[in-house]
Amino acid sequence: MNQTPWNRKILTGYWTVVLLYLLAGLAGLVLTLVQYAWWVDYYLFHQLLLPLLLMSAEVGALELAFRKRKGSMEPWFILTATTLAATIVLFNPNLHGMYALFALSTLTSLMYFDRKLTLFSCLLGIVTLLLLQLDPAIHASMTLYELIAMIATLSGAYLLGLGVISRGEQILNQLTKAMESERDLLVDNIMYDTMTKTDALTGLYNHKTFHEYLDSLLNVEAEQLSLQVAVLDIDNFKSINDTYGHWVGDLVLKRIALMIREYVTPNDFVARYGGEEFALILTDADSKQAFRTLDFIREKISQVPHDELAGRSVTVSIGFAERVPDMRKENLFKIADARLYEAKRTGKNKVVGTSPSTQEVLE
C-alpha cells in the first residue's frame, strides 16, 4: 500500500504539535511577564526556545528524510513521535499531563495497521520513559506509582491499538467479501444480459436486441442522425445444410458473422436476425457510403472459399433502406426486407438499395 499520502498527513500533524507548543509557550511567556518577571530569561530560553528548536530539528530531519523517501519510513515516524513527547516532557517535568504524549507514537502506528509497529511504539515509549528517569528533575517529579501507572497506560494503549487493528481487519474482510459478492453478481448479470441479448452461435446480437436498439435510434431526430437498415441473407443456404449437414452450415454462419463484424465500423450494429439472415444498422455514413460498405462486404464474402464446401464460396444478397423523417420502424424494415427479396429475385449476390450509380429499385 502507498503510505506516502498518510505519511504526509502525519508530518503535518507533527508540525502542528510544534506550532501548538509555540503558541502555548507564548501564552506562558505572557503569564510569566505578568507574574514572574524575574524568571523570564530562564523561561524564554529553557522552556520555549531550546525545546522549540529541538522539536523543529526532529520534525525537520524527518521532513528531509521523507522527501528523499529512501527505504521504509514508518519506524522513523514512530521514533519522531516518541522524541517529540520526550522533548516536551524533558523541558516540562512538572507538567504531569505531558506524559500522555508518549501515546502519540502508538496513535501514529495505528495509521499503518501493523501489529509489529504498534508493539515497537509501545516498547519505545516505555524505554524512553525509563531513560528519562535518569534526569534528576523528572525522577523527582514522578513517584514510582506514577511511573508504573504510566507504563500500564502505554501497555493499555498498545492493547487498545491491537483491538483497533483487529477491528479494522474485520471490517476490511467484510468489505472484501461484500465487494466479491457484488462482483460475482455483476458478472452473473453481465453473463445473463449477454445470454439474453446475443446469439449463441455467432456471438452477434439477436433479433430482440436488434429491434430494441433500432427503437432507441429512431427516437433521435432524422436530421441529427444518418441511419440505414440492411438485411443480409445467405444465398442457397438450405442446400448447404441439406448437402453438407447442419454443422457445416453453422460454420459458414459463424464465418460470415465474423466477416460482417470485421468490415463495419464500431458505431454500426450487427445482429443475427434468424436462420441464415443478418440485420445491420449503419450510422456512420450516408446512403452512398453505406451502399459501398455493404457491397464491399458482399464481395469479400463471395471471395472466401470454404474447405467444408469442397473449396466453394458462398454468396449473400442484401437489401437496405435509409431512414427518412417520420418513417416508422415497421416501414423502414419492410422496405429493406422487400429490397432483399428483390435482390434474391433478380439474380442474388447483389445489394439492392440506393447506389452511387443507380436509382431506387423500389419506390
Side-chain angles (χ1 to χ4, degrees):
M1 180 185 297
N2 182 15
Q3 299 289 3
T4 300
W6 289 108
N7 286 341
R8 178 72 265 173
K9 292 178 185 293
I10 295 171
L11 251 176
T12 302
Y14 289 170
W15 283 117
T16 302
V17 171
V18 176
L19 177 61
L20 291 175
Y21 187 88
L22 171 63
L23 295 177
L26 291 176
L29 179 61
V30 173
L31 183 62
T32 302
L33 285 170
V34 174
Q35 297 185 356
Y36 310 101
W38 53 271
W39 195 45
V40 168
D41 291 340
Y42 179 87
Y43 176 88
L44 186 61
F45 181 75
H46 288 89
Q47 292 196 276
L48 182 58
L49 294 180
L50 185 56
L52 195 61
L53 286 173
L54 286 175
M55 293 167 64
S56 298
E58 292 160 3
V59 180
L62 181 64
E63 178 79 43
L64 183 62
F66 171 73
R67 293 190 179 187
K68 291 184 177 180
R69 284 194 285 270
K70 292 182 179 179
S72 176
M73 292 293 300
E74 289 77 12
W76 294 104
F77 274 83
I78 293 172
L79 181 61
T80 302
T82 303
T83 58
L84 281 175
T87 301
I88 295 173
V89 169
L90 185 63
F91 287 92
N92 299 274
N94 296 318
L95 297 178
H96 289 190
M98 295 294 101
Y99 289 97
L101 289 172
F102 282 104
L104 181 62
S105 61
T106 301
L107 292 176
T108 300
S109 69
L110 292 180
M111 301 290 287
Y112 304 113
F113 276 82
D114 189 313
R115 288 180 171 81
K116 291 182 180 179
L117 288 176
T118 303
L119 177 60
F120 170 67
S121 69
C122 175
L123 294 177
L124 184 63
I126 292 174
V127 170
T128 305
L129 186 63
L130 292 174
L131 289 175
L132 286 174
Q133 296 301 307
L134 298 176
D135 183 271
I138 293 179
H139 181 72
S141 68
M142 177 178 278
T143 66
L144 179 61
Y145 172 79
E146 289 174 328
L147 178 61
I148 294 173
M150 193 62 216
I151 292 174
T153 300
L154 291 177
S155 301
Y158 165 66
L159 295 175
L160 181 62
L162 292 183
V164 171
I165 292 173
S166 297
R167 179 57 177 159
E169 290 174 344
Q170 183 183 33
I171 293 174
L172 181 61
N173 289 333
Q174 291 173 347
L175 288 174
T176 301
K177 290 180 180 178
M179 290 176 64
E180 288 176 350
S181 298
E182 185 176 350
R183 181 195 61 197
D184 292 342
L185 180 60
L186 179 62
V187 170
D188 290 342
N189 288 339
I190 291 174
M191 291 181 64
Y192 176 77
D193 192 56
T194 301
M195 291 173 61
T196 57
K197 289 190 174 184
T198 59
D199 171 60
L201 177 65
T202 62
L204 299 178
Y205 290 105
N206 57 24
H207 177 281
K208 176 176 178 291
T209 309
F210 169 81
H211 283 287
E212 290 176 349
Y213 186 64
L214 183 57
D215 284 334
S216 66
L217 289 178
L218 289 176
N219 289 328
V220 180
E221 293 296 329
E223 60 270 15
Q224 297 176 358
L225 178 67
S226 175
L227 186 151
Q228 297 87 26
V229 169
V231 185
L232 180 153
D233 188 86
I234 302 175
D235 297 326
N236 307 313
F237 187 73
K238 185 177 183 301
S239 67
I240 294 175
N241 281 335
D242 293 342
T243 305
Y244 299 97
H246 288 275
W247 71 274
V248 174
D250 288 345
L251 288 175
V252 171
L253 282 170
K254 287 193 284 187
R255 285 175 188 154
I256 290 179
L258 286 173
M259 293 184 68
I260 297 172
R261 191 159 51 185
E262 179 181 357
Y263 295 123
V264 297
T265 72
N267 292 330
D268 296 330
F269 185 93
V270 185
R272 183 186 179 191
Y273 199 75
E276 68 274 22
E277 198 168 77
F278 300 88
L280 293 81
I281 301 174
L282 308 174
T283 59
D284 265 356
D286 57 27
S287 61
K288 293 182 179 181
Q289 293 169 325
F291 180 91
R292 285 192 287 267
T293 298
L294 294 170
D295 199 50
F296 179 79
I297 291 172
R298 176 201 62 77
E299 185 177 359
K300 286 294 182 180
I301 291 173
S302 68
Q303 293 173 352
V304 175
H306 300 268
D307 293 339
E308 298 81 5
L309 303 180
R312 287 176 46 208
S313 61
V314 298
T315 62
V316 296
S317 298
I318 305 173
F320 87 100
E322 183 173 26
R323 174 210 187 179
V324 296
D326 301 323
M327 179 180 285
R328 298 177 58 188
K329 180 183 73 173
E330 293 78 8
N331 292 336
L332 179 62
F333 193 81
K334 183 179 179 180
I335 292 173
D337 198 46
R339 289 172 178 169
L340 170 64
Y341 174 77
E342 181 66 16
K344 291 279 191 181
R345 187 180 64 81
T346 57
K348 304 178 182 178
N349 190 24
K350 63 171 61 176
V351 180
V352 173
T354 303
S355 73
S357 57
T358 63
Q359 298 298 316
E360 292 277 1
V361 175
L362 294 179
E363 298 297 334

